[in-house]
Amino acid sequence: CIAQERTRETLDAAISVLRAMGKKVAVPTGLKCCGSPLRKIGDLERAERCMQHNLEMLSRYDHIVTSCPGCTGELVKQYGLDAMHLVEYLTEAVGTSGIRFRSKGPHRIGLHAACHLERGIGPHTTEETWQLLGSLPDVTLVELDDVSVCCGAGGGLMSGTPDVATAMAKRKIGT
């Protein structure tokens, strides 16, 4: 899984947020890749095996919340599960008035319209992210130029050509 193996800090942060809100969190041991990358390269047989394994493991849970938009999309569209991305879950379960975190701010945050989140799950996720971040103390949201321009992190670009992806990200944030 990308969250567990490649972006562990994002997964750990998501777990911390949920636990700080008093939510019970479990990351199933033995969960396999959702199969989205396999499906994209045409390895449908392995994607199906991953799905069958994961469906059995995930059937034990009342809520499925992911930190990875690609996994959320796969779980909803291919598995037929009622999975939610963390942004959707926070918005629905807590709302902006229910978030109470201390800030080590002030912070200026520019929000990129993440392709897999906005296009894969839905444009509502960008608005929800703005609302959630805007509700935090000591946070100033900054509108980025060309908010929808590619950041270089998706579609395997970061894995396959990290130098190109890094250059695109730097151009995106103006450094």
Side-chain angles (χ1 to χ4, degrees):
C1 178
I2 290 172
Q4 289 182 326
E5 302 297 330
R6 304 214 39 222
T7 59
R8 185 65 201 209
E9 65 282 352
T10 302
L11 176 61
D12 291 342
I15 291 168
S16 293
V17 166
L18 291 169
R19 286 187 175 148
M21 294 168 48
K23 304 295 180 186
K24 225 167 108 174
V25 179
V27 179
T29 304
L31 195 64
K32 293 184 178 185
C33 171
C34 70
S36 175
L38 295 169
R39 205 173 297 286
K40 287 176 182 158
I41 63 168
D43 194 344
L44 303 180
E45 187 178 308
R46 282 199 317 172
E48 181 67 24
R49 284 196 312 265
C50 287
M51 182 173 78
Q52 293 309 317
H53 172 83
N54 290 340
L55 278 169
E56 185 177 322
M57 295 193 76
L58 294 171
S59 67
R60 305 174 209 154
Y61 297 96
D62 296 329
H63 300 286
I64 300 169
V65 179
T66 78
S67 61
C68 174
C71 292
T72 306
E74 187 76 3
L75 295 175
V76 170
K77 294 172 185 162
Q78 297 297 326
Y79 288 39
L81 296 175
D82 187 21
M84 300 176 89
H85 186 271
L86 179 65
V87 167
E88 295 175 298
Y89 183 77
L90 291 175
T91 302
E92 184 179 296
V94 181
T96 56
S97 63
I99 298 177
R100 298 200 188 351
F101 289 102
R102 287 179 297 235
S103 173
K104 295 178 184 175
H107 302 285
R108 287 174 35 92
I109 298 175
L111 179 63
H112 166 64
C115 297
H116 289 111
L117 192 56
E118 185 168 281
R119 295 182 190 128
I121 298 174
H124 66 282
T125 57
T126 299
E127 182 60 34
E128 290 172 351
T129 304
W130 273 99
Q131 290 170 0
L132 290 167
L133 290 172
S135 71
L136 298 174
D138 299 325
V139 168
T140 301
L141 297 174
V142 179
E143 190 80 35
L144 295 177
D145 293 332
D146 300 324
V147 71
S148 296
V149 169
C150 183
C151 69
L157 190 63
M158 182 66 89
S159 300
T161 54
D163 292 343
V164 172
T166 300
M168 291 173 75
K170 286 182 177 181
R171 184 173 57 234
K172 171 87 180 178
I173 60 172
T175 62

